[in-house]
Amino acid sequence: MTTIMTDGLTADAVARIRQDFPVLDQLVNGRPLVYLDNAATTQKPRAVIDAISNYYLHNNSNVHRGVHTLSQRATDDFEAGREAIRRFINAPDAGEVIYVRGATEGLNLVANSYGRKYFKAGDEVIITGMEHHSNIVPWQILGQEIGIRLRVIPFNDDGELLMDEYERMLNDRTRLVSVVHQSNALGTVNPIETIAELAHARGVPVMVDAAQSIPHMPVDVQALGADFLTFSGHKMYGPTGIGILWGRADLLNDMPPYQSGGEMIRSVTFEETTYNVLPHKFEAGTPDIAGAIGLGAAVEYLEAIGMARISAYERALMRYGAERLSGIEGVRLIGTAAERGGILSFYMESAHAHDIGTILDAEGIAVRTGHHCAQPVMARYEVPATVRASLSFYNTTDEIDALIKGIDRVIEVFG
Ligand code: PMP
């Protein structure tokens, strides 16, 4: 090992953690797998896999509707997952924690329910220039239908928001500020507390896309000053198909349902339907029960390691990687904000990102190449695509060294 990581987690602790992730222990193209695509999705610890198997092996049943024992067990575990999430994000009440499919659905829910109820032509929604497409397109669709206007906070060359511009953008027409907490393309961690303070001074609520922050740092909805916050289970060591929308109860209570059908009703006649209480009003149909139980297990796994330690370790690893990458001639780091998480996005003039990704894959190294569902970020830096290595607490300095060696190989091939 080149450097001993002293921040957050020791090398021994990381070695033990790696044993919790069966998938990491394999050869890919004859080389030990180096998994550096954690921003796309993280690997799953055995605790999560076991929780899902346990549900299907012993408790499989629908939730909330049955009086029989299996249904009660399934309901208890499903609701325990919700309570684990509530604790994890410090939400005041578990009723505010709504199971959705992921961050994409969380954003669409707020756009379609909150937006359709409260926005009218000429109103403005503020986002940042570094949003994932899922925090751009739902507002654009509303724009076409209702006539709202999207305002975009620009950022500097390092990938830091221009907060003066943001302050100037807030006005009497602003109805919502919807911002990414940590950028998936740049790694920038945005100052949500300040963004929220300024918005709240004008009575404007704030939606936070926490898809990339929740797996990597402590996220406290009350400390952030968020009004809505969403994230995906699969990026935080849980299963795919499940995620969370958290919202303030007073806002959620006043919003119309997003989808309708079973579970979200209190009573139905052909003349009239009344809706269920939170969170059920927003959970139409049979939910992803196994997913919710797996997500609860993921939260417990993360809590056992500790989010502050995870954050310190991953940032130290990122700094090590950034230093090594910037030492290579021809490599341009994209995203150099002072406040940033474990994302190493880079561009090489000499080789296309996809070719770099293919060469790295031959070495057993998994990175993501492309626009990372953030095409406006690529446009801002005038690059077609980047290579993105995204880190987890199970990654090591040895793996960063393997990445650097892989890039040396790219330079051998492409010059
Ligand atoms: N926001 C950000 C910042 C993301 O990185 C992603 C996933 N790449 C999403 C939203 C969407 O997440 P999902 O596809 O899981 O809904």
Side-chain angles (χ1 to χ4, degrees):
M1 184 161 281
T2 331
T3 315
I4 305 293
M5 307 298 302
T6 50
D7 287 353
L9 295 165
T10 64
D12 280 352
V14 174
R16 277 195 303 277
I17 283 168
R18 287 180 69 84
Q19 292 181 357
D20 296 334
F21 292 84
V23 78
L24 294 178
D25 185 21
Q26 63 174 298
L27 300 180
V28 168
N29 296 323
R31 304 293 180 90
L33 168 64
V34 174
Y35 186 78
L36 298 174
D37 195 17
N38 294 287
T41 200
T42 52
Q43 298 301 344
K44 318 306 171 199
R46 205 180 290 277
V48 169
I49 299 166
D50 287 349
I52 296 167
S53 307
N54 181 62
Y55 164 71
Y56 282 124
L57 286 171
H58 304 293
N59 300 333
N60 177 56
S61 189
N62 211 329
V63 288
H64 295 143
R65 276 164 253 170
V67 292
H68 63 80
T69 303
L70 290 196
S71 177
Q72 281 171 12
R73 276 194 219 145
T75 304
D76 286 350
D77 291 351
F78 179 77
E79 290 302 329
R82 197 191 307 277
E83 172 54 24
I85 291 286
R86 186 209 62 74
R87 186 177 67 230
F88 193 58
I89 61 174
N90 193 30
D93 194 287
E96 300 174 327
V97 175
I98 295 159
Y99 285 125
V100 291
R101 238 171 5 99
T104 300
E105 190 173 35
L107 285 154
N108 275 277
L109 191 160
V110 173
N112 283 286
S113 172
Y114 186 86
R116 280 180 204 283
K117 175 160 180 178
Y118 293 111
F119 299 169
K120 57 182 189 320
D123 284 350
E124 296 179 357
V125 170
I126 297 180
I127 61 171
T128 78
M130 62 180 86
E131 298 305 326
H132 187 273
H133 296 160
S134 59
N135 195 22
I136 302 174
V137 186
W139 311 115
Q140 275 176 340
I141 291 175
L142 274 194
Q144 284 154 13
E145 291 180 12
I146 301 177
I148 61 162
R149 182 170 170 225
L150 206 51
R151 306 288 307 268
V152 183
I153 313 169
F155 54 85
N156 64 20
D157 289 346
D158 285 325
E160 293 162 331
L161 292 180
L162 303 183
M163 293 296 282
D164 291 353
E165 299 269 344
Y166 167 57
E167 272 197 78
R168 274 198 290 278
M169 251 173 222
L170 279 165
N171 65 43
D172 294 345
R173 294 180 300 279
T174 313
R175 290 290 163 269
L176 185 75
V177 176
S178 186
V179 289
V180 68
H181 193 183
Q182 175 174 314
S183 157
N184 68 318
L186 301 170
T188 308
V189 176
N190 288 315
I192 301 295
E193 294 90 337
T194 312
I195 290 172
E197 234 169 73
L198 290 164
H200 291 162
R202 288 183 166 269
V204 175
V206 174
M207 161 118 215
V208 180
D209 171 359
Q212 295 292 344
S213 55
I214 197 105
H216 303 297
M217 68 184 85
V219 169
D220 177 326
V221 293
Q222 299 188 63
L224 286 175
D227 299 283
F228 297 105
L229 184 133
T230 191
F231 51 90
S232 301
H234 70 95
K235 293 184 197 284
M236 58 183 297
Y237 309 94
T240 50
I242 189 82
I244 296 294
L245 171 71
W246 168 83
R248 266 174 40 208
D250 56 330
L251 296 175
L252 292 172
N253 273 322
D254 286 344
M255 284 158 55
Y258 170 51
Q259 293 181 342
S260 51
E263 197 75 10
M264 51 73 70
I265 55 90
R266 189 195 303 275
S267 75
V268 177
T269 65
F270 287 118
E271 288 71 39
E272 194 193 21
T273 292
T274 56
Y275 304 135
N276 208 336
V277 293
L278 294 176
H280 311 294
K281 183 171 90 174
F282 291 105
E283 293 181 355
T286 298
D288 181 356
I289 303 165
I293 291 169
L295 182 55
V299 164
E300 282 170 13
Y301 183 83
L302 289 172
E303 283 174 334
I305 301 174
M307 293 312 296
R309 291 167 77 202
I310 286 172
S311 171
Y313 176 76
E314 289 178 352
R315 285 192 189 204
L317 199 56
M318 179 274 291
R319 282 193 295 273
Y320 174 71
E323 212 168 277
R324 295 227 47 199
L325 279 170
S326 24
I328 305 175
E329 213 185 299
V331 170
R332 174 183 166 204
L333 265 184
I334 305 275
T336 45
E339 274 302 310
R340 70 188 204 273
I343 300 270
L344 297 163
S345 232
F346 61 93
Y347 176 75
M348 293 174 77
E349 197 71 60
S350 58
H352 192 279
H354 294 309
D355 294 331
I356 301 171
T358 306
I359 290 178
L360 293 176
D361 182 57
E363 309 285 325
I365 303 166
V367 293
R368 182 128 309 228
T369 60
H371 53 63
H372 319 296
C373 296
Q375 286 182 3
V377 174
M378 301 299 116
R380 166 70 176 72
Y381 288 99
E382 297 178 353
V383 296
T386 71
V387 179
R388 181 187 69 189
S390 52
L391 311 178
S392 159
F393 51 76
Y394 46 57
N395 292 128
T396 64
T397 45
D398 281 352
E399 291 182 313
I400 299 283
D401 294 345
L403 172 69
I404 302 297
K405 258 177 95 180
I407 294 168
D408 289 344
R409 176 92 194 99
V410 172
I411 292 168
E412 269 169 42
V413 175
F414 288 98

